[in-house]
Amino acid sequence: GQQLNQSPQSMFIQEGEDVSMNCTSSSIFNTWLWYKQDPGEGPVLLIALYKAGELTSNGRLTAQFGITRKDSFLNISASIPSDVGIYFCAGHSNYQLIWGAGTKLIIKP
Amino acid sequence: GAGVSQSPSNKVTEKGKDVELRCDPISGHTALYWYRQSLGQGLEFLIYFQGNSAPDKSGLPSDRFSAERTGGSVSTLTIQRTQQEDSAVYLCASSPESAYTYEQYFGPGTRLTVT
């Protein structure tokens, strides 16, 4: 079946640093979505990408839909403490979202 | 407007008991999904409802798991004869599933603990 490889699995960064994470797949997706999950909460949609090559920003977050439609990345600039959490990518195929395993972001004090 | 709501927020049950978890999707959303998330893990797809179509049950881990969606709105996930490995957070999501968006909106989840 379709799978997404999300990396890195976890990141330890200093406040103020930029963050980059990505997802790759052997399959083509028509939509890429990026979510963030805080402890004890459901995932919250951050950015949705619908066109190959699309680059979309949401505040300090920037995400791109790879031109091959098999990958996507999410960048966070100038990280702040509230950025901690687990970030998930998801690719849409048919009627399902295929989910990455998540990237856990930890900000060192 | 109101988001996806789930109840209960926490459920502790004894092994072998049946449990029912409820999801109220966003009004007007035609698609509803159930996921399971074990501690520190990603999302495991369980079941998908779209309008009046037959649900996709391909993710249900065993026949102890079932789900219904009444009137195209509220959904109930039932786990019969619960086992300790069923302990997890059960997340519900809804989506407008139009031709333009497949964005899913999640509820806060129900944390199930089987003792």
Side-chain angles (χ1 to χ4, degrees), chain A:
Chain A
Q2 293 174 308
Q3 291 185 335
L4 287 183
N5 298 309
Q6 185 171 353
S7 64
Q9 186 175 23
S10 61
M11 302 181 71
F12 292 79
I13 62 169
Q14 297 279 2
E15 182 178 349
E17 288 183 353
D18 296 343
V19 172
S20 184
M21 59 191 78
N22 69 85
C23 277
T24 60
S25 172
S26 58
S27 302
I28 290 174
F29 290 104
N30 296 318
T31 299
W32 283 92
L33 306 173
W34 284 92
Y35 286 82
K36 183 194 177 197
Q37 186 176 29
D38 291 327
E41 303 289 332
V44 174
L45 181 66
L46 298 174
I47 292 179
L49 302 160
Y50 293 99
K51 294 181 180 179
E54 180 181 356
L55 183 71
T56 297
S57 294
N58 178 7
R60 293 178 296 106
L61 278 60
T62 301
Q64 184 158 30
F65 191 151
I67 196 70
T68 65
R69 296 164 61 192
K70 294 182 178 181
D71 64 312
S72 178
F73 72 75
L74 175 70
N75 289 340
I76 306 172
S77 62
S79 58
I80 60 177
S82 62
D83 290 335
V84 298
I86 303 176
Y87 292 79
F88 291 99
C89 64
H92 185 270
S93 177
N94 296 322
Y95 49 78
Q96 280 195 31
L97 281 184
I98 309 300
W99 291 82
T103 294
K104 188 172 185 179
L105 183 60
I106 300 165
I107 295 182
K108 295 179 284 189

Side-chain angles (χ1 to χ4, degrees), chain A residues 31 33 35 37 40-43 45 48 50 88 92 94-97 99-101, chain B residues 33 35 37 41-43 45 48 56 58 91 100-108:
Chain A
T31 299
L33 306 173
Y35 286 82
Q37 186 176 29
E41 303 289 332
L45 181 66
Y50 293 99
F88 291 99
H92 185 270
N94 296 322
Y95 49 78
Q96 280 195 31
L97 281 184
W99 291 82
Chain B
Y33 299 78
Y35 293 90
Q37 187 176 32
Q41 301 297 313
L43 299 173
F45 167 76
Y48 160 73
D56 176 3
S58 61
L91 292 162
Y100 305 103
T101 178
Y102 301 97
E103 300 164 8
Q104 295 182 12
Y105 297 86
F106 285 82

